[in-house]
Amino acid sequence: FIMSNIYALAPQTAGKIVLHTTCGDMEIELWSKETPKACRNFVQLCMEKYYDGCIFYRVVKDFIVQTGDPTGEGGNGESVYGKPFTNEVHSRLRFNHRGIVAMVNGGTKKNNSEFFITMDKAEHLNGKNTIFGKIVGDTIFNVMKMNDFDLDEDGRPEFPPKIISTEVLWDPFEDIVPRASMLEKRKPSKPSNDEVKKKRAKIAKKDMKLLSFGDDEDEEEEAIPINTQKLAISRQPRKQSEKKRRLPISKKPASSNLLKSITRESEQAESAEDLQQAMMEKMRKKQAAYEPPVEEKPKEKPKKKKDESKRKAILLLEQERMKYKKKQTLNKSERQKKTMKSLAMFTSTLKEQIQTEPAKPKETTEEQELMYDKNYDIDDEPDATNPSWMAKRLKFTTPIKDPQLDNYTVIDPLAKKTAPK
């Protein structure tokens, strides 16, 4: 295995051709320096319009698409050299990605006009087929469309795409001259004078009574004779029975109830003045009976009730805000006076409670202590309305002095397991 093959890059291309197909354009760049025989053969065949009308007669999914045979069967192509030419293998040209264009040799290493395009890498073909170009740009997706075609047992598409025309954008060979014989084959043949005269005679003798379904006048199809008696338009008058079937058409225009009533009164009126008065009365009655349509007022949307909890929260917030504003309005000296006043009230209340505290006997029994502490329970919560809580005294239990309590022992649970038996 040669390590240099990993870093080998494909050489630069020289030459470009576009295949206009029913699947879209396919741009092919050529390696004309590395494979001159194959590229010269391909460019000259494109100039001679050899590939115009060729179908892609073979498709192998995720592998290749094959074309280049004018018969559409495969194995019938011809090269510009008049005979097959040998393979041109280059070490830097490999089937390492999709879009590689190479010659079809049928395993004999002899090439004519057929070529194929890869739809995936095919390393097993390296050194067996001549690589002479590659598909470039977004046109590779037009090649990949053929991967989704319906195929028969032989790999032939049910509706095979074809090459409409070819265009040489960059000819790398300046000395290529298309063969005149090939160009004459591609030119449309002009009809001779005898054929033109025969066509004109046929047109002159054409029977217009015959019905033909062909688009061209030159088609020699049997015309269907037309029975002119049945298709002739009859101009005889209709029978009485047909006349009765027809509905009578009234020539009088449809009139409204108002006009009918006026006509009746006009017949009874003796003069034009009576008719005018009758018309005026009818118009007044119509105006009086007319009621303008009542416009429906749009329904008012019910107003959403404000959430009470939200309203209460806003009120509490405003109250706190007002208190804070009042505090800010006071001066420093006023705040100090207010604080000293509240402190003096607290000290006076505290002295009163201490003086009214019941005296505890010096020597008391346990029952008397319980009775004394019943009135002043330490665990009771202070009552804001009753200031008697100020008379309570703090009591601390005397600590037990035992020297053994200070001797702490450390027990290691792992020590029992590791200790020797």
Side-chain angles (χ1 to χ4, degrees), residues 66 99 178 202 283:
Q66 193 169 325
K202 285 181 181 179
M283 294 298 293

Side-chain angles (χ1 to χ4, degrees), residues 325-384:
K325 279 188 176 181
K326 286 181 181 179
K327 288 179 180 179
Q328 283 185 342
T329 53
L330 295 174
N331 297 329
K332 186 176 180 181
S333 59
E334 291 178 354
R335 287 201 300 273
Q336 288 179 354
K337 288 178 182 179
K338 189 176 180 181
T339 305
M340 296 303 294
K341 185 178 179 181
S342 58
L343 182 61
M345 288 175 64
F346 176 75
T347 52
S348 62
T349 312
L350 184 62
K351 287 178 181 179
E352 289 176 1
Q353 293 298 324
I354 292 169
Q355 290 175 1
T356 57
E357 179 184 3
K360 184 179 178 181
K362 294 180 180 180
E363 295 179 0
T364 58
T365 60
E366 292 181 0
E367 293 179 358
Q368 288 177 349
E369 285 181 0
L370 289 172
M371 290 297 293
Y372 179 80
D373 294 333
K374 188 176 181 180
N375 296 326
Y376 303 98
D377 193 357
I378 296 171
D379 296 332
D380 291 341
E381 293 183 359
D383 189 3

Side-chain angles (χ1 to χ4, degrees), residues 197-215:
K197 288 178 182 180
K198 287 179 181 180
K199 289 180 182 179
R200 288 176 181 175
K202 285 181 181 179
I203 294 168
K205 293 178 181 179
K206 189 175 180 181
D207 190 359
M208 299 306 293
K209 294 180 181 179
L210 300 179
L211 181 64
S212 176
F213 293 97
D215 293 336

Side-chain angles (χ1 to χ4, degrees), residues 254-298:
S255 59
S256 62
N257 295 329
L258 178 62
L259 293 174
K260 286 180 181 180
S261 61
I262 291 170
T263 53
R264 291 195 199 100
E265 292 178 0
S266 63
E267 290 175 358
Q268 297 175 1
E270 295 178 358
S271 62
E273 294 179 359
D274 296 336
L275 180 61
Q276 188 176 2
Q277 289 179 0
M279 290 176 68
M280 293 294 291
E281 288 179 2
K282 285 287 181 183
M283 294 298 293
R284 286 170 189 166
K285 288 180 181 179
K286 285 285 183 181
Q287 290 178 358
Y290 175 75
E291 294 180 359
V294 180
E295 295 181 358
E296 295 182 357
K297 295 182 179 180

Side-chain angles (χ1 to χ4, degrees), residues 157-301:
E158 293 183 3
F159 304 98
K162 68 177 181 178
I163 299 172
I164 301 169
S165 63
T166 57
E167 183 181 359
V168 180
L169 299 180
W170 177 13
D171 180 11
F173 307 100
E174 297 178 357
D175 57 342
I176 291 180
V177 179
R179 292 172 291 179
S181 58
M182 297 300 297
L183 294 175
E184 287 176 0
K185 288 181 181 180
R186 295 293 174 181
K187 286 182 180 179
S189 60
K190 294 182 180 180
S192 60
N193 295 330
D194 296 336
E195 291 177 355
V196 172
K197 288 178 182 180
K198 287 179 181 180
K199 289 180 182 179
R200 288 176 181 175
K202 285 181 181 179
I203 294 168
K205 293 178 181 179
K206 189 175 180 181
D207 190 359
M208 299 306 293
K209 294 180 181 179
L210 300 179
L211 181 64
S212 176
F213 293 97
D215 293 336
D216 300 329
E217 296 175 353
D218 302 334
E219 293 181 354
E220 297 179 358
E221 294 182 357
E222 293 183 0
I224 301 170
I226 303 171
N227 191 351
T228 55
Q229 293 179 358
K230 291 183 179 179
L231 295 177
I233 300 171
S234 177
R235 294 184 180 178
Q236 296 178 359
R238 294 179 182 273
K239 295 180 181 180
Q240 190 68 22
S241 60
E242 293 180 357
K243 289 182 179 180
K244 290 181 180 179
R245 290 176 187 173
R246 298 179 65 185
L247 296 173
I249 301 171
S250 61
K251 295 182 179 180
K252 296 180 180 180
S255 59
S256 62
N257 295 329
L258 178 62
L259 293 174
K260 286 180 181 180
S261 61
I262 291 170
T263 53
R264 291 195 199 100
E265 292 178 0
S266 63
E267 290 175 358
Q268 297 175 1
E270 295 178 358
S271 62
E273 294 179 359
D274 296 336
L275 180 61
Q276 188 176 2
Q277 289 179 0
M279 290 176 68
M280 293 294 291
E281 288 179 2
K282 285 287 181 183
M283 294 298 293
R284 286 170 189 166
K285 288 180 181 179
K286 285 285 183 181
Q287 290 178 358
Y290 175 75
E291 294 180 359
V294 180
E295 295 181 358
E296 295 182 357
K297 295 182 179 180
K299 294 181 180 179
E300 295 181 356
K301 294 182 180 179

Side-chain angles (χ1 to χ4, degrees), residues 394-409:
L394 293 174
K395 293 191 297 182
F396 300 97
T397 58
T398 56
I400 300 170
K401 295 182 179 180
D402 190 355
Q404 294 181 356
L405 293 176
D406 296 334
N407 298 329
Y408 298 101
T409 58

